[in-house]
Amino acid sequence: MPQTTIFDELESQVRSYCRNWPVVLATAAGSVVTDENGTEYLDFFAGAGVMNYGHNHPDLTEPLIDYLRSGAIVHSLDMHTAAKREFLESFREYVLTPRDLDYRVMFPGPTGTNSVESALKLARKVTGRQHILSFTNAFHGMTLGSLSVTGNAMKRQGAGVPLTNTSTMPYDQYLSGVADDFQWLERVLADSGSGVDLPAAIIVETVQGEGGLNAARPEWLRALQDLCRRYDILLIVDDVQAGVGRTGTYFSFEESGIVPDIVCLSKALSGYGLPMALTLIRPDLDQWEPGEHNGTFRGHNPAFVTGAAALKRFWADDTFQNEVQARAAELREGLEKIASGYPDAVVKGRGLLAGIEFPDKAAATRIAAESFRRGLLVETSGPDSEVLKAMPPLTITSQELQRGLGIIADAAAEVLGDQTVA
Amino acid sequence: MPQTTIFDELESQVRSYCRNWPVVLATAAGSVVTDENGTEYLDFFAGAGVMNYGHNHPDLTEPLIDYLRSGAIVHSLDMHTAAKREFLESFREYVLTPRDLDYRVMFPGPTGTNSVESALKLARKVTGRQHILSFTNAFHGMTLGSLSVTGNAMKRQGAGVPLTNTSTMPYDQYLSGVADDFQWLERVLADSGSGVDLPAAIIVETVQGEGGLNAARPEWLRALQDLCRRYDILLIVDDVQAGVGRTGTYFSFEESGIVPDIVCLSKALSGYGLPMALTLIRPDLDQWEPGEHNGTFRGHNPAFVTGAAALKRFWADDTFQNEVQARAAELREGLEKIASGYPDAVVKGRGLLAGIEFPDKAAATRIAAESFRRGLLVETSGPDSEVLKAMPPLTITSQELQRGLGIIADAAAEVLGDQTVA
Amino acid sequence: MPQTTIFDELESQVRSYCRNWPVVLATAAGSVVTDENGTEYLDFFAGAGVMNYGHNHPDLTEPLIDYLRSGAIVHSLDMHTAAKREFLESFREYVLTPRDLDYRVMFPGPTGTNSVESALKLARKVTGRQHILSFTNAFHGMTLGSLSVTGNAMKRQGAGVPLTNTSTMPYDQYLSGVADDFQWLERVLADSGSGVDLPAAIIVETVQGEGGLNAARPEWLRALQDLCRRYDILLIVDDVQAGVGRTGTYFSFEESGIVPDIVCLSKALSGYGLPMALTLIRPDLDQWEPGEHNGTFRGHNPAFVTGAAALKRFWADDTFQNEVQARAAELREGLEKIASGYPDAVVKGRGLLAGIEFPDKAAATRIAAESFRRGLLVETSGPDSEVLKAMPPLTITSQELQRGLGIIADAAAEVLGDQTVA
Amino acid sequence: MPQTTIFDELESQVRSYCRNWPVVLATAAGSVVTDENGTEYLDFFAGAGVMNYGHNHPDLTEPLIDYLRSGAIVHSLDMHTAAKREFLESFREYVLTPRDLDYRVMFPGPTGTNSVESALKLARKVTGRQHILSFTNAFHGMTLGSLSVTGNAMKRQGAGVPLTNTSTMPYDQYLSGVADDFQWLERVLADSGSGVDLPAAIIVETVQGEGGLNAARPEWLRALQDLCRRYDILLIVDDVQAGVGRTGTYFSFEESGIVPDIVCLSKALSGYGLPMALTLIRPDLDQWEPGEHNGTFRGHNPAFVTGAAALKRFWADDTFQNEVQARAAELREGLEKIASGYPDAVVKGRGLLAGIEFPDKAAATRIAAESFRRGLLVETSGPDSEVLKAMPPLTITSQELQRGLGIIADAAAEVLGDQTVA
């Protein structure tokens, strides 16, 4: 039986990544994954933003195996465990305290959408309001509440019911810089006749990982926070993809200096691909009844173990952060160089979450396919998959980064030809 | 610093289990968990139905550690991996084929609510209808779509917005057997003036794990399936808690002989406490667009590894199933014996998902607390926590089971006194 | 051009009555309407319950013409006018005071659905709850809020969006008397796990004019009121069709002795076919902000004039009420006699809102058509138009009533044949 | 008993106009209404846009009294009557044919909100889409569907439930002319990631009568129609207040040349203050099932009689229209003159639906009160009642108009003082 027969026969039509990369993955280490036939792929995908520390980082593997070997408890819902305690202590020591952040930590279930749903519920409960504002091209998850703040039309239609109690506002630069920032949002909040109900919260990604790598400017984020405070609206930052170092700091919003009321984290939290999510809550907003939001897999101890190990290994001082920022600069430079060869191609994103939007909306998909043929996993982003999206492990070496950029450059040239004006 | 200070200081008020069992768990093996102080607890809770094969079963630990040690890929979204292939092949060989079931397998994200949300979305998409019927005291999850088919008022209110596009129908025996089964459901479907819109699907648990251990009779389930077929309504069985052997067969609906159109599975799937969920879909209903429902942690390979190992170890022949059924009979007998000592106490549930409802609604909570003091983890169920709920690992030994029943008997006597009429 | 060409050419497909009665009406007096060709029709339809005092009652015509002739103001929104004052005084004197009822009077716009929408809004505002319960086969109107508490599937589908924030409960005798009254409603209110959110209000018709002439028993209405009071739920009676004398008393709920929290009135209020509606509100519930619900045609003075004249003419003492009750008894007797000739034919309704349900669901429509051929306007009711519905003016004479019953008897015999068992 | 005691004692708190104008109106003729004490008020209110032909126009009074005197049928639902036929023929002859408009005519119930609800339902049914776009500061009615496309926060909150399946877009000039017209609307329609679902329809008022007298420019309306056609979105014009001659042409959209897919009419239709409404439907969209939308007071024959008489009297040639346009020019000139005396005061609106927005938001309310003291009925408009709104009968004489403008000028001077810069 061919290697992939069972997938074709048994698995649902809903699968997608395996259609573009139709191989069977076997092993992975750092920034390289290898298929069953021994073919290696450089990884500019990082498990959709999960593998920030690279695949199978040995400093995480060992504590994980030790934990499992020791007979320690694996699954514990919201009961106390030693592993959870260590995670919480590490999170306080390496994340909250150095950044002078005061949050309560909620374990809402192990996925990003669990965290987003919990954030929306809490915001509505605390404020007594029902409306939520989100932004154009936002992506917050696939369960009904998260979907109602997600922009993508195909995914929205998948709900099969109207998505309600939300309105979309223009993200930074959405109106091409022609209109004033916040002109629309500011007006609808100020005008009691606008027809946009005063919201419980505004939910925002600082970089829209799925929506086309739009990156909000720090001043826009600060102005957004100001607007929220002026109207007593909670500000939720969904840092599921952009958080945990992806943009060069632990939280993606650090650069701007804002302090969200609620923060959603998941993906790279465990550092090892093990499902885990957190919702950070401003202490006075922590008005949950016990059990008012719950879920079975809130106490996934292997994830606590690798998560705590990752915090200790990467966030005890600035070394890692500085390296990430250096890599981010290299990535930006490399992408700019490639983009410069194609009229109207534009570099987007921030940190190690960056890419190129080509004027030909079909180009990115074709370049990603050609890159795969050349040994690079790289995906696209945006409503029309119009942005080539580079999101390598944060631990990628400079050499690997350059190699990947080279593959993209070659693939782009292959797909688009040399478009330099002579 | 006391062992639990960090939880009090940093964790959200939403936590609940740790309030009843305020110890720090350290290790676990089979049906016993041990806290940091070395105190052992017999486990009649099984991680809320996750640890069906007991904690840290060595036949699963070894393949898991081998997998991690080998450098194999951990996180892969919906890409092909060798571990996923082996899981799918095992699922077909040990679960679907022997039961003559033809389903497409969808990986909807790693939790039960992900599976339920995907099922509701698909049912609405395929039928073009928006309404869903669920049952009184149903529990299907905490994200917005799942919450809208969940009965519990406190949890519903947590949504902060109206829960729409659903109606509640009476579960089996809800009207105390006085009314005909399905009298209400049948009438509202037959009557075009009923005001209940023709639903896309009806979602049901065969045993209501959270809603009070109500167990539907096989004939009721068959009649429900007949009704669904008569009106071209999809039948979704949420087997997240009752599935994977809990009631004595792999699927909880096998006893009744029904074949649902969609099945939701999670909790015990990985067999090791690792997050994982499946949605099983009648092949002709698998009309998803690629990526129409997705999620980051759909490719959690450690869970595939232990899940496949568990299928091979426990479901390759009838041995395990027969043992579970023997234990279930012992549990029932033991609970009946305890209940017989208290007027109007009633045994509820099915398989190793059973308990006692006491006429004094506060009794179960007090007995559970007293049981904990005596070294037994056992929780309650029902809208008023009025049912003491015994849900041990399926691998529990007869001796352990009797020991646990003894603790419950003593705790009940302590709490309620001897109520036997002399 | 034929008499009806313009309707076919210019009017929307949505028209319905004119399809069954394809003549052009010209004049009307008492219980007789006459078409352009001079053909007379005895009226058992009464303008869908509007012409309770018969067409063009001279005691109303004269004050109306006098008013118009005098140059008095016709349209005044919610401003004070002499005509409105007189209506309010008459309403207090002849309706509220004699029945010892204490209500605030709201003019919500001139149609029944305006009144229902205002009642639902107020109930939600006052209680802070969003859910409303209504009954199977209820009809409350065609605007979105009213439609959401209406049972008919075709009309519901016309909304084009899901109808939300409402649940349907079984009307009296809906479950054929097999189940206890209120078994389902009582259970879902008592059970915090039922999935039916505690409602702001329950809205009910004492006789379901559109839904098949189901008439609630007085004891059922009293028990409904008790349930509402026990759970602090507002009770709204929609008396748009059954009120204003239709069942033999001014309000249809008088027989039962209940006192609703909110009452909706319209149709026969003006007594002359002029659009008008009221919402009666328990004084402490009158918590509207000025203008929070409004509408242009709230001050339709010609309707106030005829409405006040009708109150004085018909409700100053018991004479009229006694006559209506006598006619109602004759109607019932006549219908029973007809029904007795057809196995399983059942008389339904109450007062002068009564009819026959035939076992053959198509019979009523055919008998109505045959009755029209024989000079009688009579319509059908029920989700399948399965009930022949007799609703003559309350002022109909005994002779006219017998003549109409005779036509129905003949039409039934023509359509169904003689089914008497020899 | 004082004249208004009964209102205070018996009527709901919801009343509003009578609070500002606390007199009891008695008679009315042309542009003058007179209270019970004989005090005359010049009418710049026109019954909120209902009395376009002035109060009690003798050319309408006579046919109405003749009709009532003749014994003709008053109330007929959607049955054929001679009066309805004459109205339809007149509407075709004097309204549709001369303007080369091809519409089916629906009688949706007698109020504007009935018409709007029917339009929204039909648009959703025909397109199969559920979303509707409306504009900032729109007012479309108080029933749930109409309220969901209305902007005013106080009125929206009155719904007591979330208003769903709608989004608000910026009306013409809403963003102060700084942003391009339609920049936001165009972007959200073009961008499949915008999160604004493709709507069934866009509903618009050409002049926002309640929302502050914002008047859309003809080129904006044309561009809106172009956008709708490009995306296959239905365009609904709510001409309830601005139609029937108010802006100088029968339909308010004639100036722009657009041809809406659906038009809502009410208020001034009957010409006499008698409730009536129409929904005009592009013939191919007339896909209603018989009775899919209905309502009791759809066949209000007195309104048909005066409505037909008004069409014949005022719309048989251009005379009336020309006079209205002359008055409109005078009104504009007068308002401009008053506004010029106050820095930043701005004239708004179009035709005889115009007013002044003062920079001090409280000014308009105070000027209206002072005008009343001086014998003029004039109301305010806008979310903060910040616009003084002049809406006299279209039949007002030039002298009356000047007199009213004089009162406003004096009242403004009294309230605001002389602000002319010396």
Side-chain angles (χ1 to χ4, degrees), chain B residues 130 138 366 420:
Chain B
Q130 301 187 97
R366 291 167 60 212
T420 325

Side-chain angles (χ1 to χ4, degrees), chain C residues 9-14 16-17 36 47 75 78 84-85 92 105 117 121 144 155 267 286 291 296, chain D residues 9-14 16-17 36 47 78 84-85 92 105 117 142 144 155 267 286 291 296:
Chain C
E9 287 178 4
L10 198 59
E11 205 179 342
S12 163
Q13 291 301 325
V14 80
S16 59
Y17 284 114
E36 285 197 321
H75 164 76
D78 66 6
K84 183 177 178 179
R85 184 176 56 207
R92 182 160 66 179
V105 177
E117 294 260 352
K121 284 161 81 167
L144 194 61
K155 297 198 186 296
K267 288 201 184 258
D286 182 28
T296 295
Chain D
E9 287 179 4
L10 199 60
E11 204 178 342
S12 163
Q13 291 302 324
V14 79
S16 58
Y17 284 114
E36 284 197 322
D78 66 5
K84 184 177 178 179
R85 184 176 56 208
R92 183 160 65 180
V105 177
E117 294 261 353
M142 288 288 97
L144 194 60
K155 297 198 186 297
K267 288 202 185 258
D286 182 27
T296 294

Side-chain angles (χ1 to χ4, degrees), chain C residues 382-403:
Chain C
D384 300 306
S385 303
E386 72 277 16
V387 180
L388 189 76
K389 174 184 178 186
M391 181 166 54
L394 307 183
T395 51
I396 195 166
T397 64
S398 191
Q399 291 76 358
E400 287 170 323
L401 192 65
Q402 294 305 334
R403 186 155 64 84

Side-chain angles (χ1 to χ4, degrees), chain C residues 64-374:
Chain C
L64 173 59
I65 290 180
D66 287 351
Y67 188 83
L68 295 169
R69 181 66 77 203
S70 73
I73 192 161
V74 167
H75 164 76
S76 56
L77 294 108
D78 66 6
M79 288 180 278
H80 303 144
T81 69
K84 183 177 178 179
R85 184 176 56 207
E86 193 175 340
F87 175 80
L88 282 171
E89 286 170 350
S90 303
F91 194 77
R92 182 160 66 179
E93 180 177 355
Y94 302 120
V95 177
L96 297 181
T97 303
R99 289 164 186 81
D100 206 17
L101 292 170
D102 188 12
Y103 286 120
R104 288 286 178 279
V105 177
M106 175 185 180
F107 297 87
T111 71
T113 198
N114 290 115
S115 178
V116 170
E117 294 260 352
S118 72
L120 302 182
K121 284 161 81 167
L122 184 63
R124 285 165 166 149
K125 175 189 170 79
V126 168
T127 62
R129 301 178 210 137
Q130 302 187 97
H131 210 66
I132 303 277
L133 300 185
S134 58
F135 290 100
T136 49
N137 288 298
F139 179 90
H140 297 292
M142 288 288 98
T143 52
L144 194 61
S146 303
L147 202 47
S148 71
V149 285
T150 288
N152 185 283
M154 186 266 269
K155 297 198 186 296
R156 289 174 67 85
Q157 207 143 18
V161 288
L163 298 171
T164 58
N165 301 307
T166 55
S167 296
T168 301
M169 291 292 132
Y171 193 73
D172 188 22
Q173 306 287 344
Y174 189 68
L175 300 174
S176 312
V178 174
D180 290 356
D181 297 340
F182 297 117
Q183 191 179 30
W184 175 231
L185 175 55
E186 229 167 352
R187 278 288 277 142
V188 299
L189 291 176
D191 179 4
S192 70
S194 70
V196 177
D197 299 320
L198 182 67
I202 299 180
I203 185 167
V204 67
E205 302 154 283
T206 68
V207 185
Q208 298 187 314
E210 302 302 303
L213 296 183
N214 310 299
R217 292 163 300 151
E219 58 268 33
W220 186 87
L221 289 169
R222 284 190 293 269
L224 177 63
Q225 177 175 266
D226 288 348
L227 259 182
C228 284
R229 292 194 176 157
R230 198 179 329 148
Y231 288 97
D232 193 25
I233 297 164
L234 300 181
L235 179 59
I236 303 170
V237 169
D238 177 345
D239 232 10
V240 168
Q241 184 160 147
V244 192
R246 178 53 61 188
T247 64
T249 50
Y250 190 85
F251 295 110
S252 72
F253 52 78
E254 293 178 40
E255 181 190 11
S256 70
I258 67 169
V259 181
D261 301 298
I262 303 177
V263 181
C264 301
L265 288 176
S266 182
K267 288 201 184 258
L269 260 183
S270 78
Y272 208 76
L274 306 178
M276 180 178 174
L278 295 182
T279 309
L280 306 181
I281 302 169
R282 214 180 68 198
D284 61 298
L285 302 176
D286 182 28
Q287 300 171 17
W288 290 111
E289 294 296 312
E292 196 172 358
H293 177 96
N294 58 21
T296 295
F297 291 116
R298 286 167 295 158
H300 182 205
N301 289 280
F304 297 155
V305 169
T306 56
L311 289 173
K312 204 166 306 180
R313 168 65 181 78
F314 293 103
W315 298 98
D317 60 36
D318 283 353
T319 318
F320 176 64
Q321 180 169 314
N322 292 338
E323 282 169 14
V324 174
Q325 291 172 6
R327 285 304 88 66
E330 293 168 27
L331 176 61
R332 183 113 205 151
E333 188 183 18
L335 293 172
E336 293 284 8
K337 196 169 153 205
I338 296 169
S340 69
Y342 305 95
D344 296 325
V346 179
V347 175
K348 304 184 73 177
R350 193 155 68 84
L352 285 171
L353 178 55
I356 304 175
E357 180 172 353
F358 293 91
D360 170 2
K361 285 191 184 270
T365 298
R366 291 166 61 211
I367 295 168
E370 179 61 25
S371 297
F372 175 69
R373 226 182 46 82
R374 292 164 182 262

Side-chain angles (χ1 to χ4, degrees), chain D residues 43-95:
Chain D
D43 186 358
F44 267 32
F45 172 58
V50 167
M51 306 315 302
N52 280 10
Y53 311 120
H55 295 271
N56 295 335
H57 197 288
D59 293 352
L60 309 186
T61 307
E62 291 315 312
L64 173 60
I65 290 180
D66 288 350
Y67 188 82
L68 295 169
R69 180 66 77 205
S70 74
I73 191 161
V74 167
H75 165 76
S76 56
L77 294 109
D78 66 5
M79 289 180 277
H80 304 144
T81 69
K84 184 177 178 179
R85 184 176 56 208
E86 192 174 342
F87 174 80
L88 282 171
E89 286 170 351
S90 302
F91 194 77
R92 183 160 65 180
E93 180 176 355
Y94 301 121
V95 177

